Amino acid sequence: MANTKSALKRAEIAERNRLRNKAYKSAVKTLMKKYINAVAVYTANPTPELKQEAQARLSEAYAKIDKATKRGVLHPNNGARKKSRLANKLKPPTQAVAQ
């Protein structure tokens, strides 16, 4: 346990930041899952409305990932990797295989 006043303060700040980071990471994971589910529904039954829904979910996920990266919760490369993987989910299967 911390003995000095400054060490106690740093411990409190670290705990506060840990909880904030945990909330951001959880929100990112939730939005990614919602997007993946929307893509699965769209691929099962491709309609313009379902594609628009998937695009909306993608936009929400991108925004949260960007905000987490900006705040330092995620490393920039980690955020870029997550966004890239999400973008590849919506590509037609023929394009994904051709790469």
Side-chain angles (χ1 to χ4, degrees), residues 22-37:
K22 183 178 170 187
Y24 266 104
K25 287 182 181 182
S26 176
V28 166
K29 288 179 190 175
T30 300
L31 290 173
M32 287 175 66
K33 286 178 187 174
K34 285 183 178 180
Y35 168 71
I36 291 169
N37 289 339

Side-chain angles (χ1 to χ4, degrees), residues 32-93:
M32 287 175 66
K33 286 178 187 174
K34 285 183 178 180
Y35 168 71
I36 291 169
N37 289 339
V39 169
V41 170
Y42 168 70
T43 54
N45 182 17
T47 64
E49 294 83 18
L50 290 177
K51 184 169 186 174
Q52 191 174 12
E53 175 68 22
Q55 290 287 3
R57 297 282 185 216
L58 179 64
S59 178
E60 291 172 4
Y62 270 20
K64 188 57 89 168
I65 291 169
D66 286 338
K67 187 170 259 193
T69 301
K70 182 177 86 172
R71 304 256 188 237
V73 175
L74 297 177
H75 189 277
N77 290 355
N78 189 314
R81 184 176 65 242
K82 287 181 187 306
K83 288 167 59 174
S84 174
R85 288 181 178 172
L86 289 178
N88 283 330
K89 296 277 186 201
L90 194 56
K91 285 186 180 175

